[in-house]
Amino acid sequence: MKNDTVTNNASIIADSLPDSRIKAAGFLPDVLSRLDSTKMKYKPISDASIPFRDETNAATKKESIAKLIEKLDVTGNIRYKRTVEDTYCNVYSFDYCYFTNVYLPTVWWTDESIEKILNGEEVEAIYGETVQTIYSSAIHDWFLKWGSSFGWKRILSIDKMQEKVNTSGGVGIICAKRRQRGLSGHIVPVVPETKQHKAYRENEKVIYPLQSQAGKVNYKYFTTIKKDWWNNELYSSSVFYYHD
C-alpha cells in the first residue's frame, strides 16, 4: 500500500504544476447552511459568530484555529453528526479550511465543466449540473491533480507536517483513498498543538499528529486513539498536504 509516511530531505514536493486556468468550484455562504442544521452542507456556513483564522502572525493563527475548533464543536453540532447512511469528514474538513481561509472543495467541477474552463469558457457553478459533491477518496485524487493550483504543498513526513502547522499556524490535511471503489475514504485536518492537546512522539519524532475530525466517531482533538489510521488496509493510498 502506498502511503506518505517516509521522511524525505526534500520534505515538500509538487505533484502537478499549478494551472492558472482552473478556478475554485463553490458557492457563497447560505443562511440555510448552519451548525444546527443538516441542510446545505455543500455551501459555506453563514454565521458571523464563527471566527476566521487571524493571519496577523503565527501566534494569532494558532490561537484563532483553537477558537475555531471550539466553535465548530464537531462533537456537538448536528451538521457533523453521522447518520445511518453517511459520515461527514469531508464537510468538517471543508468548514475547517473555509474558516482558515484555505480552499478545499466540497463540490467540484464535472469533467465536462473542467474541459470548458480549461478552454477559456465561463462556467457557472450549478449543483448537480456543472458541479457535484466531492467525497474523500475523490479529494485524495483532487489534491494530486489540482492541489498545487490552490496553494497546497505535499509533505512526505507526518513529523514535518506537525512542525509546520505548529510553527506557522498553517493548515495540514491527511486524506486517504478507499481501496474498494464506491466506499468512503477519510479526510482529517492536522491542527496546531496546544497546552492541553499534544501530538504523540517517540524519540522526539511525531508518530501520530494532533488531529480533529468528523467520522464514525467525532473528535475535537485526537492522537493515539486511531494511531496511524491512514495505513489501514482499507485504504489504497494516503497523502499529506500543507497550506500556509
Side-chain angles (χ1 to χ4, degrees), residues 59-107:
T60 60
K61 286 180 181 179
K62 291 187 287 184
E63 289 169 3
S64 55
I65 285 174
K67 291 177 182 177
L68 173 63
I69 291 171
E70 290 303 313
K71 181 63 180 181
L72 293 181
D73 188 10
V74 69
T75 60
N77 280 312
I78 294 173
R79 182 176 176 90
Y80 311 117
K81 186 177 181 179
R82 67 174 295 188
T83 64
V84 174
E85 297 84 11
D86 288 308
T87 57
Y88 297 101
C89 61
N90 59 318
V91 175
Y92 181 65
S93 295
F94 165 71
D95 290 345
Y96 180 86
C97 287
Y98 178 80
F99 286 103
T100 52
N101 303 306
V102 171
Y103 178 70
L104 180 77
T106 187
V107 296

Side-chain angles (χ1 to χ4, degrees), residues 22-244:
I22 198 67
K23 64 178 184 177
F27 301 93
L28 294 173
D30 193 306
V31 293
L32 295 179
S33 180
R34 305 196 314 265
L35 290 170
D36 62 354
S37 171
T38 60
K39 297 179 180 179
M40 297 293 178
K41 291 185 179 183
Y42 63 90
K43 291 185 177 181
I45 299 171
S46 179
D47 184 341
S49 70
I50 301 177
F52 281 86
R53 183 173 56 152
D54 182 343
E55 300 185 45
T56 303
N57 53 51
T60 60
K61 286 180 181 179
K62 291 187 287 184
E63 289 169 3
S64 55
I65 285 174
K67 291 177 182 177
L68 173 63
I69 291 171
E70 290 303 313
K71 181 63 180 181
L72 293 181
D73 188 10
V74 69
T75 60
N77 280 312
I78 294 173
R79 182 176 176 90
Y80 311 117
K81 186 177 181 179
R82 67 174 295 188
T83 64
V84 174
E85 297 84 11
D86 288 308
T87 57
Y88 297 101
C89 61
N90 59 318
V91 175
Y92 181 65
S93 295
F94 165 71
D95 290 345
Y96 180 86
C97 287
Y98 178 80
F99 286 103
T100 52
N101 303 306
V102 171
Y103 178 70
L104 180 77
T106 187
V107 296
W108 188 242
W109 304 109
T110 62
D111 291 343
E112 181 181 3
S113 297
I114 289 175
E115 184 177 353
K116 290 180 179 179
I117 291 169
L118 297 182
N119 285 332
E121 298 181 43
E122 288 292 326
V123 180
E124 180 185 357
I126 303 173
Y127 189 76
E129 294 185 25
T130 61
V131 300
Q132 55 194 5
T133 301
I134 184 169
Y135 298 100
S136 46
S137 286
I139 294 173
H140 169 284
D141 295 344
W142 178 89
F143 271 120
L144 294 169
K145 185 170 181 61
W146 299 113
S148 63
S149 297
F150 296 94
W152 290 98
K153 297 178 177 66
R154 192 175 178 187
I155 293 184
L156 298 184
S157 164
I158 278 291
D159 182 65
K160 179 60 69 174
M161 177 186 282
Q162 187 72 70
E163 177 188 343
K164 289 187 68 63
V165 169
N166 285 349
T167 58
S168 301
V171 178
I173 290 285
I174 302 173
C175 189
K177 183 176 183 177
R178 193 66 174 257
R179 186 178 299 279
Q180 185 173 342
R181 187 176 178 85
L183 295 183
S184 296
H186 198 37
I187 183 168
V188 172
V190 173
V191 304
E193 292 180 281
T194 70
K195 290 181 179 179
Q196 295 79 24
H197 303 285
K198 301 293 183 182
Y200 174 77
R201 293 172 171 82
E202 292 181 358
N203 299 320
E204 300 184 352
K205 180 179 179 181
V206 172
I207 305 300
Y208 310 134
L210 184 62
Q211 300 155 78
S212 183
Q213 76 157 39
K216 290 183 177 179
V217 180
N218 294 356
Y219 301 101
K220 286 184 182 179
Y221 294 97
F222 73 96
T223 50
T224 58
I225 196 166
K226 293 186 65 179
K227 298 185 176 180
D228 56 338
W229 63 265
W230 55 90
N231 283 327
N232 190 293
E233 63 182 8
L234 292 174
Y235 306 114
S236 61
S237 176
S238 60
V239 292
F240 308 152
Y241 275 84
Y242 173 80
H243 200 299
D244 289 317

